[in-house]
Amino acid sequence: MAPALCPGRNVSPQPQSSEQLAGRTEANTKIKLTRCGKIILSIIMMVIATVTLGLIVYFVAFRNTPFYYHISFKTCNIDYDNKFEKPYSQEYMDLNYKIVSLINETFHESKLRRQYVNSHIVQASQAKGKVVVHAVLKFKSCFKNNAAKFWDRIETILYQKLQSKTGTLCVDPSSFKMSDMEMPAAENLLNTCCGQRTITRSGNKIAGGKDAEEGEWPWQASLQQGKVHHCGATLISNSWLVTAAHCFLRSKDPKEWNVGFGLLLSDQKTKRSVKNIIIHENYHYPAHEHDIAVVHLSSPVLYTSSIRRVCLPEATYRFPHNSEAVVTGWGTLKSDGESPNILQKGLVKIIDNKTCNNQEVYGGVITPGMLCAGYLEGKVDACQGDSGGPLVSMDSKGTWFLAGIVSWGDECALPNKPGVYTRVTHYRDWIYSKTGL
Ligand code: 4AZ
């Protein structure tokens, strides 16, 4: 007992008889004890609450601190070939798969399995005819105050692995190097792959659509005349976008245009001015044919988990009839309706040109450079302000490809009047001829 902490000690007692005093003293002591216990209990509870709060703050603030490292090492059994200079060559992809699997396996089997996030090959250079691999590794940890210790643990784990079992891959451990990387440069490299996204939400949700989420459609851009959203556009590299030619009917002057990235039109933190606009030479308004243009940004964007590029399909690829695709944009929610601030997504189905050319649908005006998507019963469709934006389709490996560019349609979501898109495969070679992509 700690009487000094007990309440009532400073309250003046009323005078009493000696028996009363004898009987009461015991009772008083009990009351004092109970009160004292309560105080002690509240103090213990306060200490526990403070410690818990401190731990929560510590974990929220520091647990998820990302750390990025650049590593490189020389292989001893992979001969250098200039195919490794092309990040999408089969040779480069195979190498990436081999190395990333090795790094994943290394850390998943280690004490850092919960801190390891991912890795990506960023370059393959050469030394004495053999491939030198350069990779970026990402970790999340609460080691903020002890980054040096964290570094040592990663370096030791990797070095030990490279010295021992590396499967079919032969590595020269003495060539191993490791250095720190800053977040923007590292995230730019980790997010360079086309058609990937961090978040994987399904579902329908433009006219008849739903609100999108941050990072869900990272290739979507807003093409703005001055600061006002006018059309959608799709990121196909860090400095090129593809959009519709008819978006530039009012002005073809690059100085009048800006491009914004981000879920909310009112809060687009990444913006770029436009260096050049290339409109298809055979586009002649009011005809809808060849409704395609490419836009060159004044400076490249850095890729992040919310800004990424879509993959372009090969010219020979056919998106199957009735397969699912998603159209996204900040266009009106119905014909002549209101425009949303948050990006909208709409799940639609690809409709073959023969069906789309039926008398009751578009009666023969759909050309091979166009692609229809939506529903013959109406429901979900692109609308005013979605023009120029993407219609994307996911392949069996989870990679998203650009199937169409929002082009035209008879109003929005009307029965027998699906959305009409510029068919990207038809213009694949034109895109390459203008951008080199
Ligand atoms: C437009 O005016 C527009 N329902 C875009 C798409 C469609 C209709 C109009 C397709 O930008």
Side-chain angles (χ1 to χ4, degrees):
M1 187 173 115
L5 290 172
C6 294
R9 293 268 311 170
N10 298 327
V11 176
S12 310
Q14 295 296 311
Q16 292 175 41
S17 71
S18 57
E19 294 96 76
Q20 276 177 319
L21 269 176
R24 291 269 182 97
T25 318
E26 209 183 313
N28 268 355
T29 314
K30 269 190 191 158
I31 291 167
K32 281 177 192 165
L33 264 175
T34 319
R35 279 192 193 149
C36 190
K38 278 187 186 164
I39 294 290
I40 291 171
L41 197 68
S42 4
I43 289 171
I44 292 175
M45 301 264 282
M46 271 167 65
V47 171
I48 292 176
T50 315
V51 170
T52 313
L53 197 71
L55 281 172
I56 292 173
V57 170
Y58 180 81
F59 275 96
V60 169
F62 300 129
R63 193 180 142 72
N64 288 330
T65 305
F67 289 80
Y68 302 90
Y69 302 96
H70 175 270
I71 63 158
S72 65
F73 54 83
K74 194 178 140 206
T75 62
C76 30
N77 62 348
I78 306 180
D79 292 332
Y80 187 83
D81 183 307
N82 49 16
K83 284 185 187 130
F84 288 118
E85 281 161 25
K86 292 200 180 102
Y88 292 97
S89 64
Q90 198 54 47
E91 286 75 5
Y92 191 98
M93 307 243 269
D94 291 347
L95 181 71
N96 187 49
Y97 181 79
K98 242 185 209 173
I99 306 290
V100 169
S101 307
L102 179 75
I103 300 172
N104 285 348
E105 184 192 302
T106 306
F107 286 103
H108 289 156
E109 286 170 355
S110 79
K111 284 193 176 147
L112 294 182
R113 70 182 76 81
R114 265 179 276 140
Q115 283 80 19
Y116 173 68
V117 180
N118 58 353
S119 55
H120 189 69
I121 298 294
V122 292
Q123 200 198 339
S125 61
Q126 67 163 317
K128 294 189 183 148
K130 300 289 179 210
V131 166
V132 177
V133 171
H134 301 256
V136 176
L137 276 61
K138 179 176 179 179
F139 292 84
K140 274 190 175 169
S141 163
C142 56
F143 278 77
K144 192 168 172 63
N145 298 327
N146 207 341
K149 192 173 155 198
F150 194 48
W151 167 302
D152 285 346
R153 288 176 69 178
I154 293 169
E155 195 179 34
T156 308
I157 290 169
L158 270 171
Y159 191 71
Q160 277 173 356
K161 181 73 178 183
L162 295 184
Q163 273 185 317
S164 59
K165 303 173 277 160
T166 48
T168 53
L169 188 76
C170 165
V171 175
D172 172 4
S174 67
S175 65
F176 176 67
K177 288 192 192 111
M178 182 166 144
S179 58
D180 270 327
M181 270 195 99
E182 292 295 326
M183 176 151 96
E187 283 291 335
N188 183 43
L189 294 169
L190 286 168
N191 291 300
T192 48
C193 286
C194 70
Q196 307 298 317
R197 49 184 213 185
T198 326
I199 102 161
T200 48
R201 293 275 153 81
S202 63
N204 169 24
K205 252 213 141 186
I206 313 187
K210 282 187 187 160
D211 289 354
E213 288 173 52
E214 185 68 38
E216 199 179 0
W217 312 104
W219 37 81
Q220 172 83 51
S222 156
L223 189 59
Q224 305 173 354
Q225 198 170 14
K227 290 185 174 174
V228 181
H229 171 82
H230 183 63
C231 267
T234 309
L235 199 65
I236 55 169
S237 79
N238 59 1
S239 50
W240 286 98
L241 298 133
V242 64
T243 188
H246 82 259
C247 292
F248 302 104
L249 286 175
R250 283 201 235 156
S251 167
K252 294 175 181 53
D253 181 0
K255 288 197 249 4
E256 284 195 30
W257 294 92
N258 289 300
V259 175
F261 298 87
L263 187 67
L264 302 175
L265 275 186
S266 59
D267 187 32
Q268 291 196 310
K269 293 190 183 75
T270 303
K271 295 201 169 203
R272 289 291 182 276
S273 47
V274 169
K275 188 161 37 178
N276 198 11
I277 297 165
I278 307 171
I279 295 168
H280 197 287
E281 27 303 269
N282 297 333
Y283 175 74
H284 301 295
Y285 179 81
H288 294 304
E289 280 175 283
H290 316 298
D291 193 8
I292 185 168
V294 285
V295 172
H296 201 188
L297 297 176
S298 54
S299 63
V301 286
L302 277 180
Y303 294 122
T304 67
S305 56
S306 307
I307 305 179
R308 289 170 168 232
R309 64 198 174 111
V310 78
C311 298
L312 290 170
E314 285 185 16
T316 51
Y317 186 77
R318 300 298 294 178
F319 290 94
H321 163 60
N322 220 24
S323 62
E324 287 185 343
V326 179
V327 56
T328 50
W330 290 275
T332 56
L333 301 176
K334 57 179 184 182
S335 247
D336 300 318
E338 281 191 24
S339 297
N341 179 36
I342 181 161
L343 182 68
Q344 301 290 302
K345 56 182 173 181
L347 182 69
V348 289
K349 288 200 169 180
I350 308 269
I351 299 169
D352 64 291
N353 283 22
K354 187 167 176 287
T355 308
C356 209
N357 265 328
N358 279 349
Q359 206 46 51
E360 67 279 17
V361 188
Y362 283 117
V365 297
I366 306 298
T367 61
M370 297 176 192
L371 176 154
C372 300
Y375 302 91
L376 294 181
E377 58 270 40
K379 294 199 304 202
V380 187
D381 194 7
C383 210
Q384 291 113 12
D386 289 322
S387 279
L391 172 76
V392 289
S393 169
M394 193 180 76
D395 77 353
S396 56
K397 289 183 184 153
T399 303
W400 291 84
F401 286 85
L402 187 65
I405 301 163
V406 179
S407 179
W408 64 279
D410 193 349
E411 297 193 24
C412 310
L414 290 182
N416 277 332
K417 302 294 165 198
V420 186
Y421 297 77
T422 308
R423 189 182 284 274
V424 171
T425 50
H426 191 86
Y427 294 96
R428 184 67 191 86
D429 298 343
W430 181 84
I431 296 172
Y432 177 74
S433 71
K434 303 297 172 188
T435 64
L437 297 166

